[in-house]
Amino acid sequence: MALINRFEVVNFLDSSRAEEWNPNFRYNIFNLYCRSAAIIMTNGTGKTRLVNALLAILSRKKTLISRTKTFMSPARAHIPPTHIRVELILNKTTT
């Protein structure tokens, strides 16, 4: 079984919706160390959007993918693209 070791989020989710792109997650690495984890942040910081983005990557469900794309950086020359990277590690122990 594969376990999530860490995930990286770059240039994702502008909750201010201002004219100038100002992402909530500029460059964040979340180390889970292949363990159960909880994401604790204040209300309105993007916990649900972040989890939906991870689920979109892992499940490839079209509704989640299209919903996640609306929170990615706009396609402009001076704005770097959004990317979300997930590192999986195979659990080699047998139980």
Side-chain angles (χ1 to χ4, degrees):
M1 173 173 64
L3 303 170
I4 298 175
N5 187 44
R6 70 177 141 222
F7 62 95
E8 176 183 282
V9 182
V10 177
N11 208 24
F12 181 68
L13 182 63
D14 181 7
S15 58
S16 69
R17 305 252 188 219
E19 189 70 28
E20 184 74 26
W21 176 256
N22 186 23
N24 293 34
F25 301 99
R26 290 187 186 277
Y27 178 78
N28 299 84
I29 296 176
F30 297 86
N31 287 308
L32 305 180
Y33 304 106
C34 299
R35 297 184 180 151
S36 297
I39 297 173
I40 301 172
M41 292 188 263
T42 58
N43 289 340
T45 55
K47 293 179 298 288
T48 302
R49 305 282 184 229
L50 188 60
V51 170
N52 283 343
L54 290 172
L55 288 173
I57 291 169
L58 296 173
S59 70
R60 299 175 60 188
K61 190 173 181 182
K62 292 182 190 235
T63 56
L64 284 173
I65 292 170
S66 63
R67 207 177 303 153
T68 299
K69 283 182 179 180
T70 63
F71 299 104
M72 292 183 163
S73 64
R76 294 186 200 144
H78 66 284
I79 299 176
T82 296
H83 71 269
I84 301 168
R85 201 178 331 207
V86 179
E87 180 183 284
L88 301 172
I89 294 182
L90 291 176
N91 184 2
K92 296 183 181 181
T93 62
T94 55
T95 54

